[in-house]
Each structure stands twice: as C-alpha cells, then as structure tokens.
Amino acid sequence: MENNSYIHPNARIGANVEIGPFCYIAENVEIGDGCKIGPHVTIYDYVKMGSNCKVFPGAVIGAIPQDMKFHGEITYVEIGNNVTIRECATINRGTEASGKGVTRVGDNTLVMSYVHIAHDCVVGNNCILVSFVGLAGETDVEDWAIIGGSSAVHQFSKIGQHAMLSGGSMVGKDVPPYALAGKRPLSYVGVNVIGLRRRGFSSEQIERIRDIYRVIYDSDMNVSDACKKVEETFEQTPEKRAILDFIASSKRGIIKRNPNVIADED
C-alpha cells in the first residue's frame, strides 16, 4: 500500500477506519467502524476490535501469550467499543489451559502507554490503566477500576468495581469494590469517595459502603465472621451484594488494612 502498511486481504476492516503508515494487520482480524489505527501498530491474528477505538503508535495487540502452557492453539483478544490504547501497550491472546482462551478489554477503557495486559485477563468497562501498569495472566479488573502508574498485579488477582489503586502498587491480594488502596504492602486506606461521587453515587450509598467496610476492617473479627455480620445486619443493596460476592469468590484473599494508616473519610 502507499503508506507502507501491510493489511491482509482477508482482514475485516469496518467503515471509516483510518490506518496509519507502517502497520501490520493480520488475516484473522476484525476492526470495527470508525477506528483510528496510528502508525507502527501491529495487530496479530485472532483479534476482534469494536467501533471507534483509537490505537497509538507502537502498540502490539494479539501477540501469543508469554506463558509456558501455550502450545500454539487458537485463542483470542476481544476489545470493546471506544477503547483507547496508547503508545507501546501490549495485549496478549489467551490460553486454552486457563479455561478461557480469550483476553478481554471492555468498552470505554483507557489503556495508557506501555501497559501490559497478559493472557486471559478480563478488564471491564470504563477502566483506566495508567502508564506502565502490568497485569499478569488471568487478572480480573472490574468496571470503573483505576490502577495507578507503574503498578504490578500478581496473576489470578481481582480488582473490584470502582476501586482505585495508588501508583506503584504491588498487588498480591484482591482489592475489594469501592476501595482506595495504597502503601506497601498494599492496604485498604478507605472508600473511593471522590470517584463514587463523580459517578453519581448518593451520600447515603457511600455511607452504607463505609459502614460495611468498618465492620470488615475495624471490628476485630476475621473476614468470614465480619461478612456474616454484614449479611445479617445490613439491608440488601447492590453495593452490599457486590462487596460480599466479591469477597466470597476471592481465591487470594482481600488486602488488609494497615493499622498505621487512618482511613480516608473525606
């Protein structure tokens, strides 16, 4: 082509797609309407991208997983609509060994420069992964989560919806929904009040979330007993259900609270 890009003739390219010079688009690729692919972007086989996405120079999407269990099987990357992938980010395909076989990034998510999303990760809608974040294999990041720059997330970890992690976080335990997390070792430091307000949560909803976490983190009960008390004493709300279901499904256990840090109650 005139701009020196290679686009396989069998690749499915939607309407009004812009592809810059020196790109490589493999055969089994689908790019939705209105996407803008910058120069020097590589999109390997078995990638499906939604509409109105923006991919910046140097990004590599759909490379085979960096996983010794991968043996050349056909696996996938699925990217939603309105996703922005900044310079030199990498998103790897899944593996059959995981039982998933697909790496997913949801709608309206921002993947900043030099982020790595490993095999079989699931990143939800409206998330922000700040520059140099590394997600190890099979990490789950729920909707609206924000992970600060240069954070590293251990394989099989989970980060709950509306959680916010400070830059440089080393994530070895699961971070529950609505939480602010920071310090080393990574600790619960409060509720993501500012983020929740921006997303339309009422003062009453935020206070209920705080009350639940006071029981979980401040009652001197173990997590199981604290969750049982929350189940028995708090009214049923979507926020309560999200917190308790997240903790019940956690395989790595949730982050603890650093006793030397006063929770942010702003």
Side-chain angles (χ1 to χ4, degrees):
M1 298 183 64
E2 290 183 2
N3 67 359
N4 294 308
S5 286
Y6 173 80
I7 303 172
H8 195 283
N10 292 339
R12 289 175 288 178
I13 310 297
N16 302 312
V17 172
E18 299 177 13
I19 298 176
F22 302 104
C23 291
Y24 174 86
I25 311 294
E27 177 178 7
N28 298 290
V29 170
E30 180 177 344
I31 298 175
D33 296 345
C35 289
K36 295 182 179 180
I37 311 299
H40 297 278
V41 169
T42 300
I43 305 180
Y44 287 112
D45 280 309
Y46 311 116
V47 172
K48 181 178 181 180
M49 183 180 298
S51 60
N52 300 312
C53 295
K54 297 178 181 178
V55 185
F56 282 69
V60 179
I61 305 171
I64 63 172
Q66 299 171 66
D67 182 0
M68 299 297 289
K69 299 185 298 297
F70 180 75
H71 298 296
E73 64 267 24
I74 294 176
T75 56
Y76 302 92
V77 169
E78 295 179 358
I79 295 171
N81 302 315
N82 307 307
V83 174
T84 297
I85 301 170
R86 293 301 305 251
E87 295 85 353
C88 300
T90 55
I91 304 174
N92 289 172
R93 283 163 45 193
T95 64
E96 282 187 354
S98 70
K100 297 178 183 177
V102 60
T103 302
R104 291 189 174 94
V105 177
D107 296 343
N108 307 308
T109 284
L110 171 57
V111 179
M112 292 192 189
S113 57
Y114 293 93
V115 166
H116 176 63
I117 300 176
H119 66 89
D120 303 291
C121 288
V122 177
V123 179
N125 301 321
N126 304 292
C127 294
I128 299 175
L129 308 184
V130 181
S131 296
F132 298 99
V133 163
L135 302 184
E138 302 186 54
T139 294
D140 289 345
V141 180
E142 294 184 347
D143 296 349
W144 293 101
I146 299 175
I147 305 178
S150 299
S151 296
V153 184
H154 194 285
Q155 61 184 353
F156 307 114
S157 295
K158 294 175 60 180
I159 296 170
Q161 60 185 281
H162 298 280
M164 184 171 183
L165 282 63
S166 68
S169 293
M170 299 289 105
V171 184
K173 297 285 187 181
D174 295 343
V175 180
Y178 317 114
L180 279 176
K183 309 297 180 180
R184 290 196 184 184
L186 189 67
S187 303
Y188 171 82
V189 296
V191 173
N192 184 16
V193 174
I194 294 174
L196 295 179
R197 286 175 179 162
R198 287 173 176 170
R199 294 162 204 152
F201 282 71
S202 69
S203 297
E204 291 76 16
Q205 287 174 297
I206 293 170
E207 194 58 37
R208 282 196 297 267
I209 293 169
R210 279 174 165 162
D211 288 341
I212 289 171
Y213 279 127
R214 287 184 182 116
V215 173
I216 292 171
Y217 281 109
D218 298 335
S219 64
D220 294 325
M221 291 185 284
N222 64 43
V223 173
S224 296
D225 289 344
C227 287
K228 184 177 180 181
K229 181 175 180 180
V230 170
E231 188 71 87
E232 293 172 349
T233 60
F234 285 80
E235 65 177 309
Q236 289 294 338
T237 63
E239 295 77 36
K240 169 187 166 180
R241 196 74 269 138
I243 292 168
L244 293 182
D245 288 350
F246 182 95
I247 294 173
S249 66
S250 174
K251 296 179 180 178
R252 299 188 58 78
I254 62 170
I255 57 172
K256 297 181 179 180
R257 178 161 174 180
N258 187 329
N260 298 318
V261 176
I262 298 174
D264 181 5
E265 298 294 340
D266 183 13

